[in-house]
Amino acid sequence: MLAQQNSILRGVVTYQNTGKPIKGVKISELGVASSSITDDDGAFELKLPGKKPGDVVTLFARLDGHEVVGKLNNTNFSEAIRTDPTQLVTVVMVRTTDRKANEDKLRNTIDKRLSEQNQQINAMLAKLDSLSTNPEERKALSEQIQALSKEVEMLTASRDELVKRMAETDLSQASAMVKKAFEEFDKGNIKEAIALMPDDKLDAFMASARDAFRLGVENYMVKARFLVADLKFGEAKENYRKAIREDSMNLENLWEVAYFLQEQNDYQSAIWLFKRALTLPITERDSAGILNNLGTLLRGNILAAENPNEEAEVSFRKALDIQRRIAAKNPEAFMPELAGTLNNLGLLLNANDSFTEAEKSFDEALKILRKLVDRNPKMYLLPLAKTLHHLGNLKTDIENYDEAEKFYKEALSIKRKLAEKNPGTHLLSLAATYSSLGILYQKKQSYLKADSAYQVSLIIYKELAAMNPNAYNLEVCLTNLNYAKFKRELMLKTFDVKYKNEAIHLLQDNLLRLMNFTTFHQRAWLYQVDTEALMDNLNGFTPEKLRFDATIDKIALHEREIQKEPTPSIKVQKQRELLQQLQTAIKDASPESQRLLTGYYIQAQGSLTWYLMLNNEPKEAEELARQVLRYTDYGDMEWVNSNLALALLYQGKWDDAKGIYTYYKGNPYDKARNWTEVFLQDLDDLEAAGVKHPDVAKARALLRE
C-alpha cells in the first residue's frame, strides 16, 4: 500500500505453495540505501522517495538460503508502483533446498516420459528390421520413428527450462484444478494430470473467472507445460497462445512462450513476443535481458530475418548500453548479465570475422567472470570456462595457436572438475572443448596430441549417445567427420593405408547412426552429404596410389632442396641422384604408375639441362636436351628448346642457336611471358652465375630487334 505522496510501498512475503509468511526478509530498492525487514506476518514497508504511481522499480528480496519465485531473476524483480494504495505487493519465496528437491522430482517425471518414448522407438526400430520385404510399411514406420525421435530431441533440449518454469508455480495461489493436476504430475502421471485440465473446462473457467483472471491465465500456462512434458508440442502451443491472448501484459509469460516458440522454430512469433515485451512498463534490466535474448535468436538465423546478424548486433549493443549503466550502480547484481551479453556479442563478431572487436568483447567478459568466480566459484566457473573456450576458438581462427592452446587448456581444467562432480550436466561441454583442441593440434601438426584429443571427445559423445541417442548422435557424427578428416590428413602425410581404413570405419559408424533420420533433418542431411563425399574420396586412394603419391612427395621434396642449393656442381650431382631414384621407382611400379613416373623422369632430365648450363657444361646439356626433345609421348617438353639454344650458343654454334631464337622469338611461352622474355632472362641468369660467352651479345641483339 502506498502512503500519501506514494513514497511508501507496502507488501507481504510468503512461502511458495503454503502461503505462510516469512520473517526476516530484507527488501530494498536498486541504488537506494534504505531497506525494510519483514515482520512476523511477513509484512514490509519500504520508503521510495521521489517515486510516483506507474514508476517501475527494481526490488531485491534477500534471506539466506531462500530465492524469489516466479520472476526472471531469483533475487530481484521489478514492480510498478500501484495507483491504488490498498493494493499490496506480494513476494513469493522458497528455500533453495526445497526448490532443488522440487526440480529434481519434476525432472524425474519428465525423464520417465522420455524413457517411455525411447522404449517405444526401440521397439519400432526392432520391428523395422523385420519389414525388409515391404518398402511401404518400412517407409511409414520410419517416418513415425523419426517424428517420435524429433519429439524426444525437442523435449530433451527444453527440459531444464521447462522444469524451472514448472517449479515456479505457487500452488497456494493456483486454482483447485491446477493443484489436483500437480498432485498427479508429482506422482509421475503426466497424462492423468493433463486429463484433469480439459480444454473446455479451462475455457469455461476463463470465461467465468474474470474476478480471478490471473488464475485462468495460469491454468493455460500450467497445462501447456504439462503437454510439453508429454511431448505434445502442438497442443502445448495452442494453450500458450490462449494464455497470451488473454493477457499480453505478463512479462514472465511472454518470455516463457517466446522461448518455447523459438525452440519450435517459430521464429517470427517468438520475435513478435520479445518485441511486445519491450513495449511493457518494465525495468531497464528486463529490457536488456529481452534484447539479449532477441539478439541470440537472430544471430545467424536467416529464417528469422533478412539481415539477422545486423539486427542481432543492434540488439546486443542496446542491451550492453543498458547493462553498463545499471552495473555501474550495482555491480554485484548486474555484472553477470553484462558478461553474458558480451559473450554473445563476441560470438556474433567472431562469426562475422570481426576478430579484433570479438576479442575485445570476450576479454571484457573474461575479466568480469574471473572476478565473479573469486566471489562465487560454484555459480560462475562454467560461464568462465565457456568464455575461455570461445577465446580458444577465436585464436584458432586467427592462427594464434599457442594462445588458443592456453585458453583451451584452462577451459578443460575447469570443465574436468565440474564433470567429475556432475557428469550429466557438464560432460557435453567437456567433449566440445576436447574436439576443438583436436582441431587446434591438427592445425599445429601435433598429430599425437590431436589424435588423443579427438579420441577423448568421441568417447564422451558416444557415452552420451548410448544414454540418449536422439539428443547426441549428431554430436557423434560431427566428431566422426572431423576425426576422419584428420585420419585422411595422416594418410596423405605418411602414405599409410591404415589411416584410410580407420577413417572409413568412423564414416561407416556415421552412416549407421544417420539411418535413424528417415525424414528431413538439416544437420543430419549435411552430415550425410559430407560423410558420403569423404567416403568416396577415401575409396579413391588404393595402396598403389598411396605408394605413387609417396614417391611424388619425395621427388617434390628433393626438387625443392635442389632449387635451394647455391652451388651448380652440387645441383647437377643431386639432380642425377634424383633421376636414379626415379628409375628405381619406375621398375617397381605398376604399368599405370610407370607411365606417370616416366613423365616425371623426363621432366627431371629437362631440369638437368639447365643445371648443366649453370655448371658451364654446354656439350652435356646439348646431348641431354636433344634426347629429352625426342620424347613426344610424355607431355609438352618444348620448353627444353630454351636450354638447347643456350647449349649451342655457349659452344660457339651461333647459326644453330640463331635458328632456335629466330623460330620462337616473340611467340607466347605461357600466360605471363613470351619466348623472347624467357631467352633474355636465361642469358641474364647465366651471366649472373659467372657463365659467359662472346656470342651472348649477338643473341641479345637478335632478340631485341
Side-chain angles (χ1 to χ4, degrees):
M1 181 187 297
L2 295 173
Q4 295 177 356
Q5 309 305 320
N6 300 306
S7 60
I8 297 178
L9 186 67
R10 292 191 177 97
V12 63
V13 182
T14 63
Y15 273 115
Q16 181 188 27
N17 297 337
T18 67
K20 292 181 180 179
I22 307 177
K23 178 183 177 181
V25 180
K26 181 180 179 181
I27 306 293
S28 60
E29 183 196 359
L30 171 65
V32 177
S34 60
S35 61
S36 176
I37 305 296
T38 57
D39 58 20
D40 291 343
D41 296 321
F44 65 88
E45 183 179 279
L46 183 65
K47 293 181 179 180
L48 300 169
K51 295 296 190 295
K52 61 184 183 301
D55 286 350
V56 178
V57 294
T58 297
L59 301 178
F60 288 81
R62 293 188 176 92
L63 179 63
D64 285 346
H66 288 68
E67 300 175 6
V68 176
V69 174
K71 304 296 182 183
L72 297 179
N73 190 280
N74 61 12
T75 60
N76 52 80
F77 52 95
S78 58
E79 287 288 344
I81 297 177
R82 278 54 164 172
T83 55
D84 181 358
T86 65
Q87 199 174 16
L88 297 177
V89 172
T90 300
V91 182
V92 180
M93 299 189 76
V94 63
R95 291 184 180 86
T96 300
T97 53
D98 291 343
R99 190 263 305 163
K100 289 181 178 178
N102 188 28
E103 287 188 355
D104 287 343
K105 183 166 57 175
L106 294 167
R107 191 177 290 106
N108 289 338
T109 297
I110 294 173
D111 286 346
K112 176 185 174 185
R113 181 66 184 89
L114 285 169
S115 177
E116 291 171 354
Q117 184 114 331
N118 277 322
Q119 289 175 12
Q120 184 181 357
I121 292 169
N122 289 334
M124 294 168 75
L125 286 169
K127 183 178 179 182
L128 187 65
D129 291 337
S130 67
L131 297 175
S132 57
T133 60
N134 194 324
E136 290 300 321
E137 285 188 39
R138 282 185 61 83
K139 181 181 178 183
L141 188 57
S142 295
E143 290 176 352
Q144 192 176 355
I145 291 170
Q146 179 60 24
L148 294 177
S149 299
K150 181 64 176 175
E151 290 174 353
V152 169
E153 182 182 340
M154 292 166 67
L155 178 54
T156 300
S158 61
R159 183 195 64 175
D160 290 343
E161 180 68 18
L162 180 62
V163 166
K164 177 184 173 184
R165 294 296 182 180
M166 285 184 168
E168 289 173 348
T169 304
D170 182 12
L171 295 178
S172 68
Q173 301 293 320
S175 66
M177 189 188 331
V178 165
K179 291 177 182 176
K180 290 180 180 178
F182 256 103
E183 287 179 8
E184 290 298 327
F185 195 94
D186 287 345
K187 296 175 185 176
N189 303 326
I190 299 178
K191 295 185 184 301
E192 288 79 354
I194 295 172
L196 289 170
M197 304 181 72
D199 290 343
D200 57 347
K201 194 171 181 179
L202 264 63
D203 294 342
F205 185 99
M206 192 75 238
S208 64
R210 293 301 168 186
D211 57 332
F213 177 76
R214 182 190 59 77
L215 295 181
V217 172
E218 183 66 9
N219 285 346
Y220 288 131
M221 296 295 293
V222 169
K223 184 176 181 182
R225 294 165 192 155
F226 287 166
L227 287 163
V228 171
D230 197 31
L231 302 152
K232 292 182 170 58
F233 300 104
E235 295 176 48
K237 186 174 184 178
E238 184 55 34
N239 277 269
Y240 275 134
R241 288 192 182 281
K242 286 181 179 180
I244 298 302
R245 277 199 298 268
E246 295 294 342
D247 181 9
S248 62
M249 299 291 289
N250 186 306
L251 177 62
E252 285 77 18
N253 287 353
L254 286 171
W255 198 303
E256 177 179 347
V257 178
Y259 175 82
F260 168 80
L261 293 170
Q262 181 177 341
E263 291 296 301
Q264 297 292 306
N265 299 330
D266 187 352
Y267 302 117
Q268 297 301 327
S269 297
I271 290 170
W272 185 89
L273 288 178
F274 279 132
K275 290 183 175 179
R276 166 64 184 164
L278 288 170
T279 67
L280 301 180
I282 56 178
T283 63
E284 286 189 310
R285 180 188 198 170
D286 289 337
S287 293
I290 294 167
L291 287 165
N292 183 36
N293 271 40
L294 190 56
T296 303
L297 186 159
L298 288 164
R299 184 179 64 212
N301 191 346
I302 59 174
L303 298 177
E306 186 175 347
N307 299 303
N309 283 352
E310 292 179 17
E311 292 188 36
E313 185 172 351
V314 170
S315 291
F316 286 139
R317 293 197 183 279
K318 284 182 178 179
L320 285 173
D321 288 343
I322 296 170
Q323 288 168 337
R324 291 187 199 283
R325 187 165 57 249
I326 60 178
K329 299 177 184 177
N330 192 328
E332 181 180 351
F334 299 122
M335 279 298 184
E337 293 163 24
L338 175 61
T341 305
L342 285 166
N343 253 319
N344 288 333
L345 177 61
L347 290 170
L348 172 68
L349 293 169
N350 194 32
N352 288 344
D353 296 338
S354 300
F355 299 120
T356 301
E357 287 189 71
E359 186 170 2
K360 289 179 181 177
S361 194
F362 286 138
D363 281 343
E364 187 178 353
L366 190 65
K367 290 176 184 176
I368 293 171
L369 287 165
R370 289 197 189 281
K371 291 178 181 178
L372 292 172
V373 165
D374 289 340
R375 192 178 74 203
N376 189 341
K378 185 176 182 181
M379 182 173 292
Y380 297 113
L381 269 175
L382 182 59
L384 173 63
K386 288 182 177 180
T387 302
L388 290 165
H389 183 113
H390 298 329
L391 274 164
N393 289 346
L394 183 147
K395 294 294 186 179
T396 301
D397 289 341
I398 62 175
E399 299 182 358
N400 189 340
Y401 297 142
D402 290 340
E403 284 288 304
E405 184 176 3
K406 182 184 74 173
F407 285 122
Y408 283 142
K409 283 186 173 179
E410 187 178 355
L412 277 178
S413 176
I414 295 169
K415 290 182 178 183
R416 275 195 292 258
K417 292 175 183 176
L418 292 172
E420 286 172 6
K421 296 178 181 178
N422 191 344
T425 302
H426 300 297
L427 274 177
L428 182 63
S429 181
L430 179 64
T433 300
Y434 269 114
S435 183
S436 294
L437 191 60
I439 293 170
L440 169 68
Y441 283 139
Q442 183 177 348
K443 290 178 180 291
K444 290 182 69 174
Q445 297 187 10
S446 299
Y447 293 125
L448 288 176
K449 291 182 178 179
D451 192 78
S452 176
Y454 279 128
Q455 280 192 40
V456 174
S457 175
L458 195 55
I459 288 169
I460 295 172
Y461 279 133
K462 284 186 174 181
E463 286 178 357
L464 293 169
M467 294 183 286
N468 192 337
N470 300 296
Y472 300 114
N473 258 341
L474 287 177
E475 304 306 327
V476 175
C477 289
L478 176 59
T479 308
N480 273 339
L481 268 170
N482 288 333
Y483 200 11
K485 290 174 184 177
F486 168 69
K487 295 291 186 181
R488 179 184 181 278
E489 183 174 326
L490 287 179
M491 177 191 73
L492 295 175
K493 284 281 183 183
T494 64
F495 308 102
D496 191 335
V497 73
K498 77 173 184 179
Y499 294 117
K500 168 191 172 180
N501 296 333
E502 290 172 1
I504 287 177
H505 177 75
L506 292 165
L507 296 174
Q508 287 172 337
D509 181 53
N510 264 19
L511 294 176
L512 288 173
R513 293 176 188 274
L514 291 168
M515 282 176 61
N516 293 324
F517 294 89
T518 53
T519 58
F520 183 76
H521 185 291
Q522 187 173 13
R523 281 185 69 195
W525 175 76
L526 288 172
Y527 296 163
Q528 182 87 21
V529 170
D530 286 350
T531 297
E532 291 175 354
L534 186 54
M535 184 85 82
D536 289 343
N537 178 269
L538 288 165
N539 284 330
F541 288 95
T542 62
E544 172 61 29
K545 185 177 187 305
L546 285 174
R547 284 194 296 273
F548 174 80
D549 289 346
T551 302
I552 298 304
D553 188 69
K554 290 176 183 177
I555 292 169
L557 179 62
H558 201 142
E559 286 177 335
R560 287 193 293 271
E561 291 175 353
I562 295 170
Q563 288 168 5
K564 293 177 183 178
E565 173 56 50
T567 306
S569 61
I570 298 178
K571 277 182 179 287
V572 171
Q573 177 188 339
K574 288 189 173 182
Q575 189 70 9
R576 284 176 170 150
E577 290 173 358
L578 174 61
L579 288 168
Q580 290 175 354
Q581 291 176 13
L582 279 166
Q583 284 179 327
T584 302
I586 290 169
K587 290 178 183 178
D588 296 336
S590 67
E592 181 181 354
S593 294
Q594 280 182 345
R595 179 172 179 78
L596 292 170
L597 288 171
T598 300
Y600 278 98
Y601 180 82
I602 295 168
Q603 291 285 339
Q605 283 185 313
S607 297
L608 180 56
T609 62
W610 171 249
Y611 298 146
L612 287 167
M613 286 305 305
L614 284 174
N615 201 39
N616 202 7
E617 298 181 61
K619 182 179 180 181
E620 291 79 359
E622 179 190 355
E623 292 175 358
L624 185 57
R626 292 189 184 281
Q627 179 183 333
V628 168
L629 287 168
R630 286 197 291 269
Y631 294 113
T632 58
D633 296 336
Y634 293 92
D636 184 9
M637 299 302 296
E638 193 173 20
W639 62 272
V640 178
N641 279 293
S642 63
N643 294 339
L644 177 59
L646 291 170
L648 294 167
L649 179 68
Y650 279 75
Q651 292 180 77
K653 300 178 181 180
W654 166 244
D655 289 338
D656 292 339
K658 180 181 177 182
I660 296 174
Y661 287 139
T662 303
Y663 181 81
Y664 285 102
K665 186 177 71 167
N667 291 329
Y669 180 84
D670 55 28
K671 291 181 179 179
R673 301 169 297 170
N674 61 38
W675 276 86
T676 301
E677 291 171 315
V678 172
F679 287 144
L680 288 169
Q681 185 63 54
D682 287 347
L683 293 171
D684 291 344
D685 290 344
L686 286 176
E687 187 174 21
V691 182
K692 299 179 181 180
H693 192 278
D695 287 343
V696 169
K698 293 181 185 179
R700 283 201 174 104
L702 173 67
L703 292 168
R704 288 170 177 166
E705 287 179 356

